Amino acid sequence: MPSAVDSGDDLYSAVKQITQSSSDSDYIDQLVPVMRDVRYSDRAGHLIQALNQISAERESEIERMCNSNHQEFVSSVNSLLRVREGTVDMTTQILQLNQSIQASTENLAAQKKALVDSRAVRQSIDETSEALNACLDVLRVANQVRDLLLEKNHYAALRSLDELQNVHLKEVGRYKIAEMIERSVPATQRLIANAVMDDLNTWLYRVREASQYLGEVAFYHTDLRRTRHEERMQQDEHFMKFKLNSAMDLVADETDEFDIMNNEEMQTEFDFSPLFECMHIHETLGRSDYFRAEYASNRRKQKDLIIPSSLNLLDDDGSDLSSLLESIAGFAIIEKATIKRTNNFRANVDVDELWDSMCQSMATLITNGLPLVDNDDLLLKIKGRVALFMLTMEKWGYSVKNLYDLLVTLFDKYSDLLKQRFSEDFQEIVSTDDYMPMPINNLEEYDKVVNVSWYTPSQAREQLTFPCVLPFSQMYPLCCIDIRNFLNQIYLFSDDHFQRSTVIDETLKNSLDELLCEKVCQSLVERLSSQYPGQIVQILTNLEHFEIACQELQDLLFQARSSGSATGPVILQATEQFRNAKKTASDRIFELVNSKIDDLIETAEYDWMATRPTTETSNYMQELTRYLSNIMNSVLLGLPTDIKEFIYFDALSHAASAILELPLHESVKRITPAAVTALVTDADFLSSFVDSLNNPILKENLDELVQTVALMATDNSDEFFDMTQRNRKYSKVDREKGAILIEKVMEGAAVAAQTPSRPSDRFGTIGSRFRMG
């Protein structure tokens, strides 16, 4: 076949060279560039022709080779057929083997799959086992928390719960049980908090039950401290300057160690562990503020349970009041102990608020119960318990200033009861007194009376003879005893917290003034209405001694006054009242004496127109001098000399004035010389009586009477109208009265001269019918 492409053509050469490649990869590698060149040069047809030419040449060559080797070719074909048959057998075997291998492979794959599946299951089992163990650990810890709660080991339970939440739950966080337990943690925390609060409430209940005994022990210890303080004051007077609970007292008493919260002897043991545990647990839970508020609320409720609705102050043993004070003291002591044992748990403001509230409630209860108390001894016991309470709580650092008002209230009630009791005593003493000088039978009685009375005897003790009488009546020493008892019992109220302050001083002064003025002085003044001079004189004597006693009391109260701010002397109004009462009594004695004198003088029966003179003293004058002598030596004997002389002076002055009024009476028109003689005789008798008293001052009272009577008896009446003579002889005579009497005497003398022998017509008896007041 002719060649369509020139043998020299490069494309043909390239194709031919390509066909001669030893491997397919070389063939492809060489053919690719030729085909790329043919594609871009539009010579694809030439390439096909070159390939066809090469193919044709190869076929020709094969045919030539086959023609020359036909037999060999046939044998080769036979061989090839046999080979092919063997190849088919081998292919069949290979297929069978392939099927066998494929079956084995499938079996192996199945086994491998089963192995893989078993390994996955085993891994799942392992993981499940690990998860179960982790969950079991979580459940074990959760159960441990519950067991610890049942054992009341709350803090360990809280720690286990914290470990469960922060450690174990994180390990099983992908499991639902973790979510379930995580949701139960807050409830468990609340359960722990409630459980520990239940234990705390139980502890608080026991504390409240033990508070009263704790307060009782505290009072007992304070009483022992007070006894030791008094012993120190007796041994060293310097300690008298310091009160109980003062710094000096605390230093002196510091060797006596006494822990009231834990004392085996007193069996007081307070374990604060429940409180500490509760605090720690709530702090761990982040609920410290809540717990602090809840605890404060519980304590306020317990405080309210301590305070009763009413208080009985009338029982002799004071059990109700003691229980209340002991309970308050125990409660407050526990509060202070809680502050000391904790850090910023209980605020001082809250504790002080509870203290003030309890004190106010206690004071209100006591104040409301006071109207029923009518015994001063019982009230003194109440004050003693309150004072012991104040001393005890002051030692624990509580302020007791708010209780001072309660002490003042108690003191006011106490002083009122004392005043009422002593008022009754004074009234009984005054009403039952015999108003006679007090008889003393022996020296022992005398010493007792002098010791209790404010009395300075005029005679030395060694010179006394018994029996004797004292100037005052029995009421005076009895009243003095009551006054001293009143002072002592008032001062019994004073103590370390209520010393003899201004309140006591003023109350004592006012109460004593009231008792002396109203119950003693006024009662004595009311008895001055008596008609018995002896009783009036004794009342006056008693008043005199009471006045002296008041002066002594003023000095005593001034010395006992404790307030340093008080200045000036102590003045009792009773002193002035007794002084005024003395004047009233003196006036009453004057009135009675003068009334008796008037009665005696009214009995005078002068015959102003008598014609026969008489030298005998009138009966009334004798009775008058006898009365004055008797009253001076008996009734007025017990009076002080100055009062007695003053009464006597007034009596004589009144008698002289009353005698002078007899001739001056308007019914007497004329006075005869005989009547003047009778009047002179009586005046001389009275003058002689006064001379016998040896008191020139008393004699002066009769000057007017003596000079007037002398003027009536004189023959030279003109001297009265001569200034010089009158001043020398008749200086005490009233000018107008003297003139009237001279005129009456002159007229009487004229009448008598005209009828010298006629018997008296008793014209003068008219004057006796007039009673001169």
Side-chain angles (χ1 to χ4, degrees):
M1 176 179 293
S3 178
V5 180
D6 187 29
S7 58
D9 189 83
D10 54 352
L11 186 59
Y12 174 78
S13 299
V15 172
K16 186 176 181 179
Q17 186 177 356
I18 291 169
T19 60
Q20 293 177 355
S21 300
S22 58
S23 63
D24 292 339
S25 60
D26 292 339
Y27 177 80
I28 295 301
D29 291 341
Q30 294 177 13
L31 180 59
V32 170
V34 175
M35 291 179 67
R36 185 184 298 115
D37 294 338
V38 170
R39 178 184 177 188
Y40 292 105
S41 60
D42 297 328
R43 294 172 62 189
H46 295 289
L47 176 57
I48 294 172
Q49 289 179 3
L51 289 172
N52 290 331
Q53 185 177 351
I54 292 300
S55 175
E57 289 179 355
R58 291 294 176 88
E59 287 179 358
S60 296
E61 185 178 355
I62 291 170
E63 184 178 357
R64 203 170 40 251
M65 291 177 64
C66 289
N67 288 329
S68 58
N69 297 300
H70 178 73
Q71 189 62 38
E72 295 177 358
F73 178 75
V74 172
S75 58
S76 297
V77 170
N78 290 330
S79 296
L80 287 173
L81 290 174
R82 288 193 299 274
V83 172
R84 182 178 179 185
E85 184 178 358
T87 302
V88 171
D89 292 337
M90 290 182 69
T91 302
T92 302
Q93 293 178 359
I94 290 171
L95 290 174
Q96 292 176 351
L97 180 60
N98 184 36
Q99 290 177 353
S100 177
I101 291 172
Q102 186 174 359
S104 298
T105 301
E106 291 177 355
N107 187 22
L108 181 62
Q111 291 179 355
K112 184 176 181 181
K113 182 179 179 182
L115 179 60
V116 171
D117 291 341
S118 65
R119 286 179 177 176
V121 171
R122 182 174 180 179
Q123 184 177 0
S124 297
I125 291 173
D126 291 341
E127 291 177 354
T128 302
S129 178
E130 292 177 0
L132 286 174
N133 289 332
C135 292
L136 287 175
D137 286 340
V138 170
L139 291 176
R140 177 183 58 79
V141 175
N143 290 331
Q144 183 182 5
V145 171
R146 186 169 185 83
D147 293 339
L148 290 173
L149 275 177
L150 293 176
E151 295 172 0
K152 295 188 178 299
N153 197 349
H154 305 113
Y155 183 68
L158 187 62
R159 291 291 300 273
S160 298
L161 184 63
D162 184 67
E163 179 183 353
L164 175 66
Q165 184 180 17
N166 296 323
V167 179
H168 297 283
L169 287 183
K170 290 183 178 179
E171 297 177 357
V172 296
R174 61 184 178 277
Y175 304 117
K176 191 171 183 179
I177 190 173
E179 182 182 353
M180 295 173 60
I181 294 180
E182 183 69 31
R183 288 199 303 267
S184 70
V185 167
T188 306
Q189 289 177 340
R190 288 193 297 272
L191 188 63
I192 294 174
N194 292 335
V196 76
M197 282 299 296
D198 290 340
D199 286 353
L200 180 67
N201 290 332
T202 302
W203 179 77
L204 287 174
Y205 174 76
R206 293 173 180 172
V207 164
R208 182 170 67 86
E209 291 295 314
S211 294
Q212 181 178 347
Y213 179 69
L214 183 66
E216 182 180 354
V217 173
F219 289 175
Y220 173 75
H221 179 60
T222 302
D223 199 39
L224 292 179
R225 290 177 51 243
R226 182 161 56 184
T227 302
R228 289 195 298 270
H229 183 66
E230 291 175 354
E231 292 174 353
R232 283 193 293 268
M233 287 192 297
Q234 294 176 359
Q235 296 172 3
D236 188 351
E237 61 181 10
H238 291 91
F239 279 96
M240 299 182 67
K241 302 177 182 177
F242 306 101
K243 298 190 300 182
L244 194 67
N245 291 332
S246 63
M248 190 67 178
D249 172 67
L250 295 178
V251 170
D253 208 46
E254 65 182 358
T255 56
D256 181 64
E257 296 182 359
F258 183 83
D259 185 4
I260 192 173
M261 305 305 294
N262 292 282
N263 189 279
E264 295 182 0
E265 182 180 358
M266 295 297 175
Q267 298 180 354
T268 56
E269 183 177 357
F270 285 83
D271 183 11
F272 284 83
S273 299
L275 175 61
F276 296 152
E277 183 181 25
C278 201
M279 289 174 57
H280 195 51
I281 286 177
H282 281 83
E283 183 179 359
T284 304
L285 294 175
R287 304 179 67 190
S288 296
D289 294 338
Y290 165 79
F291 173 63
R292 189 180 294 109
E294 187 69 15
Y295 182 85
S297 176
N298 287 337
R299 292 300 280 170
R300 283 193 294 271
K301 293 177 182 177
Q302 286 193 330
K303 180 266 296 183
D304 295 335
L305 293 176
I306 289 176
I307 308 299
S309 58
S310 62
L311 188 64
N312 180 19
L313 298 177
L314 300 181
D315 53 339
D316 294 334
D317 58 352
S319 57
D320 277 10
L321 178 60
S322 296
S323 299
L324 174 62
L325 296 179
E326 289 165 0
S327 299
I328 293 176
F331 183 94
I333 289 172
I334 291 174
E335 287 296 300
K336 284 293 183 180
T338 303
I339 292 178
K340 187 179 296 184
R341 286 168 169 77
T342 57
N343 185 20
N344 295 328
F345 175 65
R346 292 290 284 153
N348 287 320
V349 175
D350 294 339
V351 174
D352 291 339
E353 181 181 353
L354 289 177
W355 165 252
D356 292 338
S357 175
M358 290 188 294
C359 288
Q360 183 177 0
S361 300
M362 179 262 292
T364 301
L365 287 173
I366 294 177
T367 303
N368 292 339
L370 284 181
L372 299 178
V373 179
D374 57 358
N375 187 304
D376 54 277
D377 290 334
L378 178 59
L379 196 63
L380 199 60
K381 293 179 182 179
I382 294 173
K383 171 261 168 186
R385 293 187 179 94
V386 174
L388 183 62
F389 170 77
M390 294 172 64
L391 288 172
T392 301
M393 303 319 296
E394 187 180 48
K395 172 67 167 54
W396 280 90
Y398 285 101
S399 174
V400 294
K401 292 183 179 179
N402 293 337
L403 296 176
Y404 289 156
D405 292 339
L406 174 61
L407 289 180
V408 172
T409 301
L410 291 175
F411 178 70
D412 291 340
K413 177 68 174 180
Y414 178 73
S415 61
D416 289 341
L417 291 178
L418 281 182
K419 188 166 60 176
Q420 179 181 352
R421 177 160 66 86
F422 281 95
S423 173
E424 295 172 356
D425 290 346
F426 281 132
Q427 285 182 335
E428 183 178 359
I429 291 171
V430 173
S431 62
T432 58
D433 191 50
D434 56 3
Y435 294 97
M436 296 290 291
M438 185 175 182
I440 301 296
N441 296 319
N442 51 55
L443 188 61
E444 183 180 359
E445 290 184 10
Y446 176 81
D447 290 338
K448 288 181 180 179
V449 172
V450 171
N451 289 333
V452 300
S453 305
W454 286 279
Y455 171 62
T456 303
S458 58
Q459 191 174 3
R461 182 172 178 272
E462 294 78 10
Q463 299 175 355
L464 294 173
T465 57
F466 298 96
C468 66
V469 292
L470 296 178
F472 43 77
S473 65
Q474 190 175 3
M475 68 159 292
Y476 176 68
L478 291 178
C479 287
C480 289
I481 292 175
D482 269 7
I483 290 172
R484 292 182 185 274
N485 289 337
F486 183 75
L487 294 175
N488 293 333
Q489 293 196 0
I490 284 289
Y491 285 134
L492 279 178
F493 201 89
S494 64
D495 58 14
D496 291 330
H497 279 293
F498 200 78
Q499 294 183 329
R500 300 177 184 180
S501 61
T502 305
V503 176
I504 288 184
D505 294 335
E506 290 299 321
T507 302
L508 176 58
K509 173 183 171 297
N510 295 334
S511 299
L512 195 58
D513 239 349
E514 183 178 344
L515 287 173
L516 292 174
C517 291
E518 296 182 3
K519 305 305 176 182
V520 179
C521 185
Q522 186 62 34
S523 298
L524 291 176
V525 171
E526 291 173 357
R527 290 186 172 273
L528 292 177
S529 60
S530 171
Q531 298 296 323
Y532 301 100
Q535 185 175 2
I536 306 300
V537 169
Q538 189 61 59
I539 291 175
L540 176 59
T541 303
N542 291 348
L543 291 170
E544 173 77 17
H545 286 86
F546 274 117
E547 181 186 0
I548 297 174
C550 287
Q551 294 172 352
E552 296 289 341
L553 279 173
Q554 290 177 164
D555 295 337
L556 181 61
L557 293 177
F558 178 79
Q559 294 173 4
R561 186 165 56 185
S562 62
S563 177
S565 60
T567 58
V570 176
I571 303 297
L572 290 175
Q573 295 180 3
T575 307
E576 184 65 25
Q577 288 229 8
F578 280 116
R579 186 177 296 115
N580 295 334
K582 279 172 50 183
K583 180 66 170 58
T584 303
S586 299
D587 293 342
R588 179 58 177 162
I589 293 176
F590 296 154
E591 179 182 350
L592 291 177
V593 172
N594 293 340
S595 175
K596 180 64 175 177
I597 292 174
D598 290 340
D599 291 341
L600 291 174
I601 293 177
E602 286 177 358
T603 62
E605 296 182 351
Y606 286 110
D607 183 5
W608 300 112
M609 296 302 295
T611 58
R612 296 180 181 180
T614 179
T615 58
E616 294 182 2
T617 306
S618 302
N619 291 333
Y620 90 92
M621 181 57 69
Q622 294 178 7
E623 290 294 331
L624 176 62
T625 55
R626 189 180 299 115
Y627 169 75
L628 291 175
S629 178
N630 290 337
I631 197 173
M632 177 65 72
N633 296 320
S634 60
V635 178
L636 303 181
L637 185 62
L639 287 177
T641 303
D642 56 341
I643 296 179
K644 182 167 58 176
E645 291 181 350
F646 185 68
I647 293 176
Y648 221 30
F649 183 89
D650 182 79
L652 290 172
S653 178
H654 181 77
S657 298
I659 293 173
L660 279 178
E661 289 298 324
L662 293 176
L664 286 171
H665 196 272
E666 61 181 7
S667 63
V668 180
K669 304 298 185 180
R670 302 175 185 86
I671 303 175
T672 64
V676 172
T677 301
L679 187 60
V680 170
T681 300
D682 290 341
D684 290 340
F685 184 83
L686 180 60
S687 180
S688 299
F689 169 75
V690 175
D691 288 338
S692 65
L693 299 177
N694 297 320
N695 192 334
I697 298 178
L698 297 178
K699 185 64 179 295
E700 294 178 0
N701 283 330
L702 302 180
D703 287 347
E704 183 180 6
L705 175 62
V706 172
Q707 291 180 12
T708 301
V709 172
L711 175 63
M712 294 172 65
T714 185
D715 294 333
N716 187 8
S717 59
D718 293 337
E719 292 180 345
F720 180 74
F721 300 102
D722 184 350
M723 182 69 67
T724 303
Q725 295 296 327
R726 186 177 68 208
N727 290 337
R728 182 171 63 86
K729 291 185 177 183
Y730 311 111
S731 60
K732 299 296 184 181
V733 180
D734 183 82
R735 184 175 181 179
E736 182 178 353
K737 292 180 180 179
I740 293 175
L741 290 174
I742 289 174
E743 182 179 358
K744 289 184 177 183
V745 170
M746 291 178 65
E747 292 181 0
V751 172
Q754 293 176 1
T755 57
S757 60
R758 193 183 67 163
S760 173
D761 60 2
R762 302 194 62 83
F763 176 80
T765 56
I766 298 176
S768 64
R769 298 173 188 163
F770 294 91
R771 300 296 183 259
M772 311 303 295

